[in-house]
Amino acid sequence: MVQNQIRSLFLLFAGEEELPDAVQPVLDEAVLEVQQALKDGADEDDARLNWLAAAVAFLRYTEITAARDRAACTFAGTIAQNTDAAQKLEFAGLLVQAYRRLCRSLLEDETFLFQTM
């Protein structure tokens, strides 16, 4: 995985122009999460993994920022902005699912379950 590519994709998903310093740990954790999900012998340099790591980082970032009260300052005081955190979280989750499907040949199967009788 290529850190600069992951950063650029994250900025694309987040609609930001610059990456705040506080977001770097979120990117690092997303890369680690993707690395831990890889099958043995999977190619870590596959470009699809950059997209997945960026999507995971965007989901985590959205989870963090959705918890904050979004307010806008106006001449009449502070009012809540018209944002829908649930909709943003749903979109971010769907993005991760789409890139997991794209990378399914590289990732361990999360649905496998041992069952005893």
Side-chain angles (χ1 to χ4, degrees):
M1 288 181 271
V2 180
Q3 289 289 335
N4 288 338
Q5 182 70 27
I6 295 167
R7 291 175 69 123
S8 296
L9 292 168
F10 173 82
L11 291 173
L12 175 69
F13 296 154
E16 302 287 338
E17 298 212 8
E18 290 188 29
L19 187 71
D21 292 336
V23 176
Q24 188 59 47
V26 175
L27 290 174
D28 295 339
E29 288 300 318
V31 169
L32 182 61
E33 185 177 331
V34 171
Q35 286 173 333
Q36 290 175 341
L38 290 176
K39 289 181 180 178
D40 290 334
D43 181 15
E44 278 193 46
D45 294 326
D46 192 304
R48 295 174 291 175
L49 296 174
N50 296 331
W51 290 84
L52 177 57
V56 169
F58 178 62
L59 175 61
R60 302 296 175 244
Y61 175 76
T62 303
E63 290 169 342
I64 292 166
T65 57
R68 288 188 284 180
D69 181 27
R70 309 284 289 186
C73 294
T74 67
F75 68 92
T78 303
I79 59 170
Q81 285 185 343
N82 187 14
T83 60
D84 185 358
Q87 186 178 25
K88 289 179 182 179
L89 284 170
E90 182 181 354
F91 172 75
L94 290 173
L95 197 61
V96 170
Q97 289 176 13
Y99 287 116
R100 281 196 189 278
R101 281 192 301 274
L102 182 68
C103 297
R104 69 178 166 256
S105 63
L106 301 167
L107 302 174
E108 292 286 341
D109 184 11
E110 294 179 345
T111 61
F112 187 77
L113 176 67
F114 283 105
Q115 186 173 10
T116 60
M117 302 198 95

